[in-house]
Amino acid sequence: MDSETAAKRIFAAIRAIPRGEVAGYGEVARRAGLPGRARLVARLLGENEDPKLPWHRVLRSDGRIAFPEGSKGWREQSQRLRAEGVKVENGRVRGQRAAPTVDEQIWGPAD
DNA sequence: GTTCTGACTGCGA
DNA sequence: GTCGCAGCCAGAA
């Protein structure tokens, strides 16, 4: 598929993340039909300007924010997550995880 | 064409 | 829990 379509799918997958929940880069990429393109997701988020896009719900596989602590994006993401009811401690997300085990739980059993 | 860099991931110590 | 290393893909120089 074209990179444009890939980006479109990725954005759709991110928008599909329910409020108060989080997902990992790898998860988003996989759900978008682009397994192994976690880095592409990160890149797109960096270029993205859509305020409607819940990019702050995208975390690393560790369940932590991808930014270094103290960064502007780091603060913004952690603050937004807390505003949605997600507990964030020192850059780590509590209560939820970006593990693939919850994929059907947040995405649904079927497409 | 090659080389670097990166909001990544998984595994082992 | 943390740290280091190798593998990985995509875009920019």
Side-chain angles (χ1 to χ4, degrees), chain A residues 17-75:
Chain A
I17 305 174
R19 179 178 173 282
E21 298 287 320
V22 295
Y25 287 91
E27 268 305 297
V28 172
R30 197 181 311 182
R31 194 65 200 183
L34 302 164
R37 276 56 160 187
R39 270 181 148 150
L40 178 59
V41 177
R43 194 184 190 335
L44 287 173
L45 290 184
E47 296 288 303
N48 148 72
E49 298 179 0
D50 189 344
K52 179 73 169 58
L53 191 72
W55 57 270
H56 52 272
R57 295 179 191 149
V58 186
L59 309 171
R60 304 200 344 192
S61 58
D62 306 66
R64 298 186 191 174
I65 295 177
F67 288 103
E69 183 179 330
S71 297
K72 186 170 187 301
W74 182 92
R75 272 187 297 177

Side-chain angles (χ1 to χ4, degrees), chain A residues 6-7 28 36 49 59 63 68 73-74 79 86 88 102-104:
Chain A
V28 172
E49 298 179 0
L59 309 171
W74 182 92
Q79 189 172 341
V86 179
V88 182
V102 299
D103 71 325
E104 301 204 347

